[in-house]
Amino acid sequence: MNNLQTSLKALFLLVLLAFWPLQSLAQEAPRIPNFWDPQERFIKPNVKDMPRLRFLTTTDFPPFSFIDKDKRLAGFHVDLARAICEELEVSPVCQIQALPFDQLQPALMGGKGDAVMGGMAVSEANRNDLIFSRPYFRLPARFVGKAKAGLSEPLITALASKSVGVVDGTAHAAFAKAKFGNMHLQLFETQEAALSALKEDKLSAVFADGLGLSFWLQTEQKRAFQAKKKPCCQFIGGPYLSETYFGGALRIALGEGNEELEQAINFALRSINDKGRFTELYLRYFPISLY
């Protein structure tokens, strides 16, 4: 996750500062992901007597957490943490602190925070020391293609024998080789090179990380708007999720033995989803839906 944070930081900040007003240019009604079983119910633990609830996050995982143009900590994780505090009625004692990614777990285990919301994945190395909330987000892979091409599901058929670009050596390339054997995969050194080939009609589609592709689509929408043209490209088909290839879901990490707070956070996350607050935050930070 840390590599993804670094590679996307500069691109996201450019999109955020320059292109944010273009949310209305999205090419289709956004799809809002839902990670909850509608039949499952959560009981709200009483944590109102907590002396404080300290969330730890990072400054370099946009749009989840970053420093905005006013030098303030901002992002999806920051607003979600505040929403959790509101649901648990502990806003007056709610604190959010940013640290470098590699300091998050030591700070949590050292008692300098109560919960980490920073893209920390469940692993063999940390599962004995930490407990994790229910998933609140997953980062999908997506295809992008030319808007004029009219490609749609099932893409396994629509893209059969067509040229599809992937970045060599990435998890997305490995996934494509394993799952899309009927497509003609072309390997590129960078995502920028693959997307340039797509715009030049040398490819039918590009398969890559949905988050990075959404930033690129926003950039292309801005350029099209300025040129008074239609955007060249769009997401095609649906999202692809794989813990094996793309990593697990985003969860909130807590210290071992903190099950009561874990239950409270799960209740809050579910309540935020049911009340439509998750949708509000999702549309704010992902104007072109990853899903």
Side-chain angles (χ1 to χ4, degrees):
M1 191 64 66
N2 200 22
N3 290 337
L4 178 61
Q5 296 170 8
T6 302
S7 63
L8 294 178
K9 182 179 180 181
L11 177 59
F12 173 77
L13 291 178
L14 177 63
V15 170
L16 176 73
L17 298 178
F19 308 145
W20 201 254
L22 295 175
Q23 295 184 30
S24 61
L25 295 180
Q27 295 158 326
E28 59 181 18
R31 302 170 184 173
I32 310 301
N34 188 341
F35 307 110
W36 298 93
D37 179 353
Q39 304 302 319
E40 189 173 13
R41 294 291 178 264
F42 293 86
I43 297 174
K44 180 181 181 179
N46 184 2
V47 294
K48 288 189 287 186
D49 293 331
M50 290 185 65
R52 56 186 174 179
L53 176 51
R54 299 165 297 171
F55 284 95
L56 302 176
T57 189
T58 65
T59 60
D60 58 354
F61 188 18
F64 294 95
S65 53
F66 57 95
I67 301 299
D68 68 14
K69 62 182 180 179
D70 297 319
K71 308 300 182 183
R72 296 178 301 187
L73 183 63
F76 180 87
H77 277 162
V78 177
D79 285 348
L80 183 59
R82 290 176 178 144
I84 290 171
C85 289
E86 290 175 10
E87 286 297 323
L88 298 180
E89 301 178 68
V90 295
S91 292
V93 296
C94 187
Q95 301 173 11
I96 306 171
Q97 180 182 358
L99 296 171
F101 181 82
D102 59 2
Q103 294 181 23
L104 291 176
Q105 184 171 341
L108 178 65
M109 296 180 65
K112 298 179 180 179
D114 301 299
V116 168
M117 191 182 293
M120 185 183 297
V122 182
S123 69
E124 291 296 331
N126 64 28
R127 67 172 63 252
N128 293 327
D129 299 316
L130 305 175
I131 57 177
F132 291 86
S133 73
R134 295 293 182 88
Y136 61 88
F137 210 94
R138 296 179 186 272
L139 294 173
R142 293 294 304 266
F143 282 100
V144 291
K146 281 296 195 67
K148 65 183 180 183
L151 296 170
S152 61
E153 295 285 9
L155 292 182
I156 199 73
T157 300
L159 292 173
S161 301
K162 296 184 182 298
S163 294
V164 174
V166 292
V167 179
D168 193 17
T170 63
H172 299 87
F175 182 91
K177 291 174 183 177
K179 305 296 183 180
F180 306 139
N182 65 336
M183 302 177 193
H184 178 54
L185 299 177
Q186 291 191 24
L187 302 179
F188 291 81
E189 291 187 4
T190 67
Q191 184 168 296
E192 291 76 13
L195 293 169
S196 292
L198 175 66
K199 291 182 66 176
E200 295 168 4
D201 290 323
K202 296 177 181 179
L203 297 172
S204 295
V206 169
F207 183 72
D209 163 61
L211 183 58
L213 290 176
S214 72
F215 298 160
W216 179 76
L217 288 174
Q218 289 182 64
T219 302
E220 290 302 309
Q221 286 188 355
K222 173 67 175 180
R223 290 172 178 166
F225 179 80
Q226 292 175 334
K228 299 182 179 180
K229 296 180 180 179
K230 293 183 179 180
C232 74
C233 306
Q234 63 187 18
F235 278 132
I236 54 175
Y240 291 81
L241 300 168
S242 172
E243 291 195 15
T244 301
Y245 289 91
F246 311 138
L250 300 187
R251 303 170 185 262
I252 298 172
L254 305 97
E256 189 178 21
N258 216 351
E259 283 78 11
E260 183 177 15
L261 181 56
E262 176 202 7
Q263 294 173 15
I265 286 176
N266 285 336
F267 169 86
L269 289 171
R270 175 59 186 267
S271 181
I272 288 166
N273 181 80
D274 291 351
K275 292 179 178 179
R277 185 71 184 278
F278 178 87
T279 297
E280 174 192 335
L281 295 179
Y282 182 80
L283 293 175
R284 181 184 306 170
Y285 290 103
F286 305 94
I288 296 182
S289 176
L290 308 188
Y291 285 79

